[in-house]
Amino acid sequence: MGKTSNNIVLIGFMGSGKTTIGKCFADRYQYTFLDTDEYIEQKAGMSIKDIFNTYGEEYFRTLETNCLKELIHTAKSSIISTGGGIPLREENQALLQQLGYVVYLKISKEVVLKRLAGDTKRPLLQGENVELKVEALLQQRDPIYSRVADQVICVDELSVFEVISAVKTCCIK
Ligand code: S3P
C-alpha cells in the first residue's frame, strides 16, 4: 500500500535518538513532532512503565497498533518518533510503511549501553544482565528494522545535527 501522507517515521532501538532527532528536525524544518509513546501515555493516562506493570507487554503492543491506525488518519507533515518495539508486529510493519517514509536510526550495542546506563523508564531493560538483553533484542530486531525501513542511517558516530541533515537529505526532495 502507498504512503498516505508526507510524514517521516523514525524507527530503531531504544536510545537511538528517535525522540531527540524528531524534536530537533521538527523545529528546524517546520514539521509537527509526534511520539507514539507520548501519544499512548496521554491516551491511557499512565506511564509506559505502569502500563507494562499493570497490563503486560501484549496489551501495550495492542495500544501501539491502535496508535498507528489512528495516526494514519490524522498525521500530516509530521515527523513521528516510534517506540522501539513497534516494528515487531507484522501488522505494524505495513502500518508504518503506510504512515510515511520510514527511517531506521541504527545503533550498536556499545552505544545503547552507554546512552541508557541507569535508565529506569524502559521496562525491557531493567534488572540483571542488561548487556545480554540489549544484545539479544538487537540481534532479533536489527533485521526487522532494516526490512521495514526505506532508509537506514548509522548513528553511532554522528552528532544530532549530522543525523538531522541525513534525514533531511533522504526525506525532503
Ligand atoms: C520499547 C521501547 C520504548 C517503549 C517501551 C518498549 C521497546 O520506546 O515503547 O519501553 O520494546 O523497544 P523507546 O524506543 O522510545 O525507548
Side-chain angles (χ1 to χ4, degrees):
M1 194 170 318
K3 319 268 182 210
T4 50
S5 199
N6 57 337
N7 298 314
I8 299 167
V9 184
L10 301 178
I11 63 168
F13 203 75
M14 295 168 268
S16 58
K18 293 161 291 181
T19 302
T20 305
I21 298 301
K23 279 184 179 159
C24 293
F25 187 96
D27 274 354
R28 199 177 170 95
Y29 298 110
Q30 286 82 51
Y31 272 59
T32 302
F33 172 71
L34 298 168
D35 181 300
T36 59
D37 283 341
E38 246 174 52
Y39 187 98
I40 289 168
E41 285 183 331
Q42 271 176 16
K43 207 163 169 171
M46 293 168 86
S47 67
I48 304 287
K49 194 174 164 185
D50 287 342
I51 297 172
F52 264 72
N53 287 339
T54 313
Y55 300 109
E57 182 173 349
E58 267 316 291
Y59 180 83
F60 173 70
R61 299 299 174 199
T62 299
L63 298 184
E64 289 188 316
T65 301
N66 295 343
C67 169
L68 289 180
K69 286 179 177 166
E70 288 168 22
L71 290 180
I72 282 172
H73 294 292
T74 55
K76 289 193 174 53
S77 303
S78 298
I79 183 158
I80 302 153
S81 157
T82 61
I86 278 204
L88 301 183
R89 272 200 186 179
E90 221 172 292
E91 180 183 11
N92 294 355
Q93 297 170 10
L95 294 171
L96 286 164
Q97 272 292 329
Q98 210 183 323
L99 182 57
Y101 191 83
V102 182
V103 180
Y104 168 25
L105 304 183
K106 183 172 165 130
I107 192 171
S108 67
K109 178 186 84 177
E110 290 70 25
V111 179
V112 171
L113 290 170
K114 224 184 275 171
R115 288 193 187 173
L116 296 187
D119 175 86
T120 55
K121 286 193 187 151
R122 291 169 173 91
L124 296 181
L125 300 184
Q126 303 310 306
E128 306 285 296
N129 293 323
V130 172
E131 184 172 348
L132 286 179
K133 287 177 191 167
V134 170
E135 192 171 324
L137 285 171
L138 263 179
Q139 226 172 58
Q140 175 207 15
R141 292 176 175 191
D142 175 63
I144 300 173
Y145 293 144
S146 299
R147 205 174 56 235
V148 176
D150 294 303
Q151 188 78 35
V152 181
I153 299 173
C154 296
V155 298
D156 274 355
E157 312 275 326
L158 301 183
S159 66
V160 171
F161 178 73
E162 288 168 328
V163 178
I164 289 169
S165 298
V167 173
K168 177 185 177 278
T169 304
C170 63
C171 297
I172 306 182
K173 307 290 174 210

